């Protein structure tokens, strides 16, 4: 595990964008696992700037997203498909058919899970998986207690997560209760993981995740066992690390 200390959010975004850019330059047909949330927005902005300057080419890149709210379609402003189109896909030259975000409108969880597993497998492995972390230690939507051995899951969001994510919705009741997520097993199969974290509110959880016991109660803690993970955090997020 490599831990990289960044000064602040912008510095974290720049350092993370360097790693994603290097991946794209070294392997122009990379499969990249993408994340949503406020943590990766800065890094997506930098990737877009570099594309606009002519330094990055996304034409052969394939992407697969970590999660999606069940019940939200791609045209819903809080869906993760909408987020990805807005911050990245519509701004670079990635063919939209090379991007996959789970279908939130698939009502049958079994079918949604099977389709998602098939997509991940057909991509032949994720070269670089970008991850953020929820306040409660979740990655994707693998909430505390979710078994590590699932490749893909339909999960019930915890009250903590609904509370944390309600800021994006008009009211708490509008936050979907279920989500489709890449499971820990598929995440752990990625060749490389790039984990970004910022802000004081995550400080305690990030210390538990990377320096505490590996436990289902802190889903991100399993990442300690990945053999190629880079963790980039700003000063506030790393303020409680024991190193
Ligand atoms: C959501 C997503 C996660 C993300 C988390 C953190 O719950 N499902 O994949 O990591 O939010 O979001 P933020 O970066 O906004 O703190």
């Amino acid at each position: 595990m490599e831990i990289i200390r960044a000064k602040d959010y912008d510095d974290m975004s720049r350092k993370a964008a360097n790693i994603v850019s290097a991946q794209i330059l070294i392997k122009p047909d990379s499969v990249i696992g993408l994340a949503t949330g406020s943590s990766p927005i800065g890094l997506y902005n930098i990737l877009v700037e570099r594309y606009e300057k002519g330094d990055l080419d996304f034409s052969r890149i394939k992407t697969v997203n970590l999660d999606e709210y069940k019940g939200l379609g791609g045209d819903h402003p809080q869906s993760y498909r909408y987020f990805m189109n807005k911050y990245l896909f519509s701004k670079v030259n990635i063919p939209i058919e090379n991007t996959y975000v789970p279908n939130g409108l698939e009502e049958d969880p079994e079918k949604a899970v099977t389709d998602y597993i098939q997509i991940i497998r057909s991509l032949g492995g994720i070269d670089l998986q970008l991850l953020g972390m929820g306040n409660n230690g979740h990655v994707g939507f693998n909430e505390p207690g979710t078994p590590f051995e699932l490749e893909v899951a339909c999960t019930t969001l915890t009250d903590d997560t609904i509370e944390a994510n309600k800021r994006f919705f008009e009211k708490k009741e509008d936050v979907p209760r279920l989500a489709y997520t890449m499971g820990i097993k598929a995440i752990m199969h990625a060749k490389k993981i790039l984990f970004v974290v910022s802000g004081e509110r995550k400080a305690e959880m990030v210390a538990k995740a990377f320096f505490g016991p590996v436990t289902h109660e802190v889903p991100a803690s399993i990442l300690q066992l990945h053999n190629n993970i880079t963790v980039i955090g700003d000063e506030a997020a790393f303020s409680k690390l024991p190193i």
Side-chain angles (χ1 to χ4, degrees), residues 1-2 187-193 222-230:
M1 173 165 71
E2 187 184 6
I187 293 171
M188 289 298 280
H189 271 106
K191 289 180 197 137
K192 284 180 238 164
I193 293 179
I222 187 78
L223 302 172
Q224 294 174 33
L225 305 180
H226 195 276
N227 65 5
N228 192 344
I229 176 166
T230 301

Side-chain angles (χ1 to χ4, degrees), residues 36-40 66-67 80 132-134 138-141 161 165 167-168 201-202:
T36 54
S38 44
S39 307
L66 266 182
D67 46 14
Y80 289 165
M133 179 182 72
H138 75 211
V139 281
F141 270 129
T161 297
N165 290 5
R167 66 190 196 274
F168 300 114
R201 76 188 156 100
K202 307 245 177 102

Side-chain angles (χ1 to χ4, degrees), residues 47-202:
L47 295 180
V48 169
E49 276 167 27
R50 290 183 182 166
Y51 162 73
E52 285 169 351
K53 279 194 205 146
D55 291 340
L56 287 179
D57 174 18
F58 290 79
S59 62
R60 291 163 62 208
I61 295 295
K62 290 192 175 147
T63 66
V64 55
N65 260 79
L66 266 182
D67 46 14
E68 179 61 284
Y69 289 112
K70 182 172 185 292
L72 300 194
D75 53 356
H76 189 291
Q78 297 315 328
S79 73
Y80 289 165
R81 161 56 77 182
Y82 190 96
F83 175 104
M84 289 312 308
N85 288 349
K86 176 174 168 187
Y87 288 105
L88 188 66
F89 302 153
S90 67
K91 296 184 170 169
V92 298
N93 66 334
I94 189 162
I96 204 74
E97 62 277 14
N98 285 3
T99 70
Y100 181 79
V101 181
N103 178 10
L105 291 184
E106 177 52 67
E107 285 191 8
D108 176 4
E110 229 168 276
K111 176 158 181 346
V113 165
T114 313
D115 289 351
Y116 195 2
I117 290 178
Q118 259 169 11
I119 294 283
I120 296 171
R121 291 188 187 169
S122 71
L123 290 169
I126 296 170
D127 293 299
L128 177 66
Q129 177 66 54
L130 178 61
L131 288 181
M133 179 182 72
N135 293 346
N136 65 355
H138 75 211
V139 281
F141 270 129
N142 292 278
E143 295 286 32
T146 310
F148 288 152
E149 60 271 25
L150 297 177
E151 205 166 339
V152 164
C154 176
T155 53
T156 302
L157 304 190
T158 61
D159 202 53
D160 287 349
T161 297
I162 293 170
E163 197 54 48
N165 290 5
K166 75 172 187 202
R167 66 190 196 274
F168 300 114
F169 293 81
E170 239 173 67
K171 48 189 191 312
K172 189 174 170 184
E173 293 67 45
D174 294 342
V175 184
R177 280 4 191 198
L178 298 173
Y180 296 125
T181 183
M182 192 185 290
I184 295 292
K185 179 175 175 181
I187 293 171
M188 289 298 280
H189 271 106
K191 289 180 197 137
K192 284 180 238 164
I193 293 179
L194 174 58
F195 182 100
V196 290
V197 63
S198 85
E200 165 68 29
R201 76 188 156 100
K202 307 245 177 102

